């Protein structure tokens, strides 16, 4: 009975038709058929490899098997039942690109369990247990962004194998980017998985790895592909050293989860920052002494004294706060609109391709070029003109940064999350928005200082009023520029503190989420 079960058909692919839509201007939207009526099957515990040259449709076949939206017709069955999302363990091509740089290795490995609603502590325990069973060792508490290319591939492969209740394991070029030892380890892992009764479908160019797996070779036939021609497989016994001695992976896994002391890193970072500030003031002082002309470069002591005088004058302090209020208010207003819109635009490939050139153009248009349009749109409304000009400049910059980040970082992960069974809401909140964090943080860091600079420019030359811009302009010809430097120093410090707070906040948010 056992022998019969292990040779019976488990996975059956029936009449799959798939391809892609032409993106060129001529014939845009027309379907290009790559797979036409393909059918094949895998037995329990069988390892099958689709082998062909580049651009022959291997990845299209793989995508059609794992993703219902990637095939135009046909179905994938397991024991006669249709296989749905969340029932296929999938490792995509260039798997490192499907990882989140913001997460630790353990958090990334927990993704297939998190989409099923399994709590973090339970998921972590299951991940560590499965890694021990498979013999995979990884630095679980290290951020993904600190891993080498080969380590990222190992993480992506391990994440794919952790999908619970999988009916099939599908890997697209899993050996690419791995060194010899890593490939050998992956061969051992896949052999262990196949012995458990799961079928494995993969693509690869590496004949020696396929020989070590004892894989059944399937070669595409036709263009478009209409069938897969099976070739004689290599006996699974003829593989190199699969039983070599290793360090106990459970022991290594426990040692790799030791958490570094965060307070030490924070202390070192603070000391470096303080040293930089002191060094900068010292260099400034020496340069001012060397020049000896306060109308060119006043010494830092004079500037700090002038800044203190601003805080003791209610009128001057009021102008400082008014300018900062306008800058920060317009900055917040621009971010509230640009961030969600940038995420939505970047997540849709068609919308992004259409708008990307215009987003780049809008970001490069200087604030001076927008002044005429703003005045024309809102005549006889100088205060609204001023605020809208600042807002529009910041909006265009942030929209381009966030949409680009969403376009680059989220699409593969969005598709991967759907394939492993994530709900639409989970993908929206935990994938789309989360993976755009890099662009959001970058836009905040760039546009906060820019908001103050643009406000100065607008108040000084374009739409002047009684504000800091006018004060700076009036002191340009002073014999001692300490006052003007003070007016520039205070907003600069506010911007620097704001950027520092954004970085601390984003780091804290990443740890909490």
């Amino acid at each position: 009975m056992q022998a019969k079960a292990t040779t019976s058909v488990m996975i059956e692919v029936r009449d799959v038709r798939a391809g892609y839509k032409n993106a060129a201007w001529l014939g845009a939207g027309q379907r290009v058929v790559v797979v036409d009526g393909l059918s094949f099957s895998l037995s329990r515990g069988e390892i099958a490899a689709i082998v062909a040259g580049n651009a022959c449709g291997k990845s299209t076949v793989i995508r059609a098997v794992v993703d219902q939206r990637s095939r135009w017709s046909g179905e994938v069955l397991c024991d006669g039942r249709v296989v749905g999302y969340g029932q296929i363990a999938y490792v995509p091509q260039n798997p490192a690109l499907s990882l989140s740089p913001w997460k630790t290795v353990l958090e990334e490995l927990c993704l297939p369990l998190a989409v099923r609603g399994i709590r973090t502590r339970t998921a972590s325990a299951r991940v560590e247990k499965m890694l021990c069973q498979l013999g995979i060792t990884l630095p679980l508490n290290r951020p993904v962004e600190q891993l080498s290319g080969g380590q990222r591939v190992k993480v992506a492969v391990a994440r794919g194998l952790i999908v619970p209740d999988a009916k099939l394991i599908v890997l697209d070029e899993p050996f690419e980017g791995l060194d010899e030892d890593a490939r050998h380890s992956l061969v051992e892992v896949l052999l262990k998985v196949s012995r458990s009764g799961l079928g494995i479908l993969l693509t690869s160019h590496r004949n020696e790895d396929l020989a070590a797996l004892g894989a059944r070779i399937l070669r595409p036939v036709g263009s478009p592909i209409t069938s897969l021609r099976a070739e004689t497989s290599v006996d699974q016994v003829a593989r190199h050293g699969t039983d070599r001695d290793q360090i106990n992976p459970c022991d290594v896994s426990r040692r790799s989860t030791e958490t570094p002391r965060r307070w030490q890193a924070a202390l070192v970072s603070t000391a470096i920052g303080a040293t930089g500030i002191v060094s900068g003031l010292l260099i400034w002082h020496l340069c001012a002494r060397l020049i000896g002309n306060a109308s060119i470069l006043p010494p830092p002591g004079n500037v700090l004294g002038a800044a203190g005088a601003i805080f003791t004058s209610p009128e001057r302090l009021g102008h400082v706060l008014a300018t900062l209020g306008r800058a920060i208010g317009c900055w917040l207003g621009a971010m509230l609109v640009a961030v969600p819109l940038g995420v939505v635009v970047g997540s849709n490939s068609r919308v992004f391709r259409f708008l990307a050139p215009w987003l780049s153009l809008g970001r490069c248009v200087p604030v001076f070029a927008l002044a005429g349009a703003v005045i024309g749109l809102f005549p006889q409304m100088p205060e609204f003109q001023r605020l809208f000009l600042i807002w529009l400049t910041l909006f265009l910059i942030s929209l381009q940064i966030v949409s680009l980040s969403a376009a680059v970082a989220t699409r593969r992960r969005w598709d991967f999350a759907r394939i492993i069974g994530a709900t639409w809401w989970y993908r929206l909140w935990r994938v789309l928005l989360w993976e755009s964090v890099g662009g959001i943080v970058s836009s905040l860091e760039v546009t906060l200082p820019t908001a103050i600079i643009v406000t100065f420019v607008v108040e000084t030359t374009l739409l002047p009023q009684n504000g800091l811009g006018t004060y700076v302009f009036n002191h340009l010809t002073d014999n001692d520029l300490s006052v003007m430097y003070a007016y520039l120093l205070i907003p600069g410090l506010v911007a620097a503190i704001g950027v520092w707070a954004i970085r601390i906040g984003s780091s804290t948010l990443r740890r909490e989420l």
Side-chain angles (χ1 to χ4, degrees):
M1 293 294 293
Q2 182 65 28
K4 183 178 180 180
T6 56
T7 58
S8 61
V9 172
M10 179 184 183
I11 296 295
E12 187 176 4
V13 178
R14 289 183 182 174
D15 300 323
V16 167
R17 192 168 187 267
Y20 61 91
K21 289 186 178 181
N22 196 340
W25 287 104
L26 296 177
Q30 293 181 351
R31 286 185 171 183
V32 178
V33 180
V34 179
V35 181
D36 193 6
L38 177 64
S39 298
F40 64 94
S41 61
L42 274 77
S43 302
R44 298 180 185 275
E46 181 183 15
I47 302 177
I50 302 175
V51 179
N54 293 326
C56 289
K58 302 188 303 298
S59 294
T60 303
V61 173
I62 291 294
R63 291 285 301 178
V65 171
V66 302
D67 188 1
Q68 299 171 16
R69 295 188 182 182
S70 295
R71 56 180 182 262
W72 300 330
S73 62
E75 56 187 0
V76 178
L77 306 175
C78 177
D79 294 333
R81 296 182 179 181
V82 175
V83 176
Y85 288 126
Q87 295 183 303
I88 296 180
Y90 176 50
V91 180
Q93 191 176 32
N94 298 321
L97 298 180
S98 67
L99 301 178
S100 170
W102 319 113
K103 295 182 180 295
T104 65
V105 172
L106 180 59
E107 291 168 343
E108 187 65 31
L109 294 177
C110 288
L111 177 63
L113 303 176
V115 301
R116 306 295 179 88
I118 299 176
R119 294 186 175 183
T120 303
R121 182 174 297 179
T122 303
S124 300
R126 289 179 61 174
V127 165
E128 293 189 24
K129 180 180 179 181
M130 188 167 295
L131 291 179
C132 288
Q133 292 174 346
L134 295 176
I136 300 176
T137 60
L138 291 168
L140 298 181
N141 276 337
R142 186 179 300 174
V144 171
E145 60 185 350
Q146 296 180 7
L147 299 180
S148 65
Q151 285 179 312
R152 295 188 186 194
V153 174
K154 288 181 65 177
V155 172
V157 171
R159 181 191 59 187
L161 298 177
I162 288 171
V163 173
D165 304 322
K167 307 298 184 183
L168 173 68
I169 309 292
V170 178
L171 307 96
D172 195 357
E173 300 288 355
F175 296 104
E176 296 301 316
L178 297 179
D179 58 27
E180 183 178 356
D181 289 339
R183 294 199 311 272
H184 181 90
S185 298
L186 179 56
V187 166
E188 291 181 334
V189 168
L190 295 181
L191 289 174
K192 288 181 181 179
V193 172
S194 69
R195 294 188 193 107
S196 69
L198 278 176
I200 298 176
L201 177 66
L202 57 90
T203 65
S204 179
H205 295 285
R206 307 190 64 86
N207 293 329
E208 62 272 27
D209 296 322
L210 298 180
L213 288 170
R216 178 165 64 107
I217 306 301
L218 302 175
R219 294 194 181 274
V221 176
S223 180
I225 299 172
T226 56
S227 62
L228 297 176
R229 183 180 70 250
E231 296 184 353
T232 305
S233 62
V234 180
D235 185 50
Q236 291 190 20
V237 177
R239 57 183 182 269
H240 46 283
T242 57
D243 295 322
R244 65 178 180 177
D245 294 333
Q246 294 183 0
I247 300 173
N248 188 342
C250 299
D251 295 338
V252 177
S253 179
R254 291 193 191 99
R255 291 199 299 270
S256 65
T257 59
E258 295 179 0
T259 305
R261 296 182 179 180
R262 298 184 184 275
W263 66 267
Q264 292 180 342
L267 184 61
V268 171
S269 178
T270 302
I272 293 174
T275 303
I277 293 174
V278 173
S279 300
L281 290 174
L282 181 60
I283 294 173
W284 179 5
H285 177 76
L286 293 176
C287 290
R289 290 286 300 272
L290 181 63
I291 294 173
N293 188 345
S295 63
I296 299 177
L297 181 65
N302 293 4
V303 175
L304 294 176
I310 293 175
F311 284 99
T312 60
S313 171
E315 180 182 3
R316 292 184 176 184
L317 183 59
H319 291 310
V320 171
L321 296 178
T323 294
L324 291 176
R326 278 188 290 272
I328 295 176
C330 292
W331 174 68
L332 290 174
M335 297 305 102
L336 289 175
V337 180
V339 167
L341 184 59
V343 171
V344 172
V345 168
S347 64
N348 189 300
S349 58
R350 294 181 181 177
V351 174
F352 180 77
R353 282 199 303 267
F354 177 76
L355 293 179
W358 303 104
L359 293 175
S360 300
L361 178 63
R363 184 186 178 192
C364 296
V365 171
V367 64
F368 300 98
L370 300 173
V374 172
I375 294 173
L377 288 173
F378 307 100
Q380 308 302 320
M381 301 174 64
E383 182 63 21
F384 196 78
Q385 293 169 3
R386 183 180 304 107
L387 296 177
F388 188 74
L389 180 57
I390 300 169
W391 178 91
L392 182 60
T393 304
L394 302 173
F395 168 78
L396 292 174
I397 295 174
S398 182
L399 179 62
Q400 200 268 347
I401 297 174
V402 175
S403 61
L404 181 61
S405 173
V408 172
T410 62
R411 290 198 194 120
R412 286 171 60 90
R413 194 166 175 83
W414 174 274
D415 291 340
F416 176 81
R418 183 182 71 250
I419 291 169
I420 64 175
T423 63
W424 183 87
W425 176 251
Y426 185 96
R427 285 182 288 141
L428 177 65
W429 168 243
R430 301 291 292 186
V431 176
L432 182 57
L433 185 61
W434 176 250
E435 293 309 318
S436 302
V437 167
I440 294 171
V441 172
S442 297
S443 67
L444 295 178
E445 290 186 3
V446 170
T447 53
L448 178 56
T450 304
I452 295 176
I453 296 172
V454 171
T455 304
F456 266 104
V457 172
V458 171
E459 291 187 350
T460 304
T461 59
L462 301 180
L463 298 169
Q465 74 157 34
N466 191 15
L468 278 188
T470 304
Y471 274 83
V472 170
F473 182 79
N474 291 336
H475 287 85
L476 286 175
T477 58
D478 288 356
N479 292 327
D480 187 345
L481 295 182
S482 298
V483 175
M484 189 192 76
Y485 271 64
Y487 282 129
L488 297 174
L489 178 64
I490 295 172
L493 288 175
V494 171
I497 294 172
V499 170
W500 174 79
I502 290 170
R503 292 177 179 175
I504 296 297
S506 65
S507 177
T508 303
L509 181 64
R510 290 202 301 246
R511 288 199 300 267
E512 292 298 326
L513 295 180

